[in-house]
Amino acid sequence: MNAVFPESFGYIAVHSPTDARLAGNISTSHIDAVRKMHDRGFLVSLAGGIGPDTLEAVIAVEPEILVVGSAITESASPKEIARWIRDRLPGPGRGWPWDRR
């Protein structure tokens, strides 16, 4: 958290890698880090471990970009999970190009 980033950075990417989660690391510190990066004045792209179990905490920290991977790609019903997540996000249609008018 004490890392120094150039002020020219547009976004800071905060990520929890799949291999860490598969090894049993179920920490959500990457979600908590979003607020800390916001406090430092950065916009945040959040990825890793995002799904139904963590979505409420993710929405609470308000990342500017949310990357959802295996919760959708490894689901038996990817379209339903994607809709379920999208329907819970604030600002419906934000970030979904086909929803833009």
Side-chain angles (χ1 to χ4, degrees), residues 12-18 21 27-31 34 44-51 54 58 63 65-70:
I12 298 295
V14 178
H15 179 250
S16 173
T18 299
R21 290 191 314 279
S27 170
T28 58
S29 62
H30 64 301
I31 297 171
V34 172
V44 179
S45 171
L46 178 63
I50 310 301
T54 59
V58 168
I65 297 172
L66 180 60
V67 180
V68 181
S70 62

Side-chain angles (χ1 to χ4, degrees), residues 20-99:
R21 290 191 314 279
L22 291 175
N25 180 352
I26 56 170
S27 170
T28 58
S29 62
H30 64 301
I31 297 171
D32 300 331
V34 172
R35 187 164 283 127
K36 293 173 184 171
M37 289 293 106
H38 281 157
D39 289 347
R40 293 179 64 184
F42 292 105
L43 302 174
V44 179
S45 171
L46 178 63
I50 310 301
D53 294 340
T54 59
L55 192 60
E56 186 174 321
V58 168
I59 290 170
V61 297
E62 300 178 341
E64 283 72 28
I65 297 172
L66 180 60
V67 180
V68 181
S70 62
I72 294 171
T73 62
E74 294 179 9
S75 169
S77 304
K79 192 173 187 177
E80 289 177 29
I81 290 294
R83 274 197 187 124
W84 185 90
I85 291 171
R86 182 183 67 175
D87 290 348
R88 280 150 184 80
L89 295 176
R94 237 176 97 202
W96 297 81
W98 53 84
D99 286 345

